[in-house]
Amino acid sequence: MSDEPLAAPPGFRIKRVYEAPDPDDGYRVLVDRLWPRGVAESAARIDEWAKDLTPSSDLRRWYHENPPGRRDEFVARFREELSDRTAHEVMVRLRGLARTRPPVTLVTAVKDPEHSHLPVVLEFLGQ
């Protein structure tokens, strides 16, 4: 994983949940395990909450103890979690939506998307 800005695969976009929803967002998918603080469900206009595309609670907590020192191992462990059948099914469905009814906007509350789980999710969605 590089430190370059995130590039979403065709048909996908990335947006922070704190940015106002826009009709051009298309299908909005929350890709965080926890609901964002201070955001009402009605204001977020989330079409789907894809918890299966997020790190497990244990992995998330472990990574947040030392993000710079644990990045490579976090990526490897999260890739393994995304190999789960349920996560695979969600990704296949979202890829289909991105092809037939783009865009699919991945919505997140993370402050630093480039150093979060999102690059790994985008890598898998682009396969």
Side-chain angles (χ1 to χ4, degrees):
M1 307 262 73
S2 72
D3 286 342
E4 296 177 15
L6 290 178
F12 289 94
R13 294 181 183 172
I14 302 163
K15 192 169 188 177
R16 290 202 68 223
V17 72
Y18 303 107
E19 297 174 52
D22 187 284
D24 291 339
D25 288 345
Y27 191 76
R28 290 173 53 90
V29 181
L30 181 64
V31 288
D32 292 339
R33 179 147 309 258
L34 305 174
W35 188 263
R37 289 183 181 172
V39 178
E41 287 186 43
S42 59
R45 290 196 17 228
I46 298 298
D47 296 302
E48 178 178 347
W49 189 358
K51 290 182 185 180
D52 292 311
L53 300 186
T54 66
S56 65
S57 294
D58 287 342
L59 181 57
R60 181 179 49 79
R61 280 189 219 105
W62 173 84
Y63 177 57
H64 284 286
E65 290 174 6
N66 180 11
R70 293 182 172 177
R71 180 70 188 166
D72 292 342
E73 187 175 348
F74 167 77
V75 168
R77 289 170 62 179
F78 185 44
R79 282 180 178 145
E80 188 175 314
E81 287 185 359
L82 285 178
S83 298
D84 172 80
R85 178 185 173 103
T86 306
H88 177 76
E89 290 171 355
V90 172
M91 284 187 273
V92 166
R93 190 171 41 71
L94 292 178
R95 284 185 203 119
L97 280 171
R99 276 193 304 276
T100 60
R101 293 184 12 210
V104 172
T105 299
L106 305 179
V107 181
T108 184
V110 299
K111 293 177 186 172
D112 186 6
E114 289 84 8
H115 297 98
S116 71
H117 63 292
L118 287 173
V120 182
V121 172
L122 293 172
E123 172 190 324
F124 270 69
L125 287 171
Q127 294 177 351

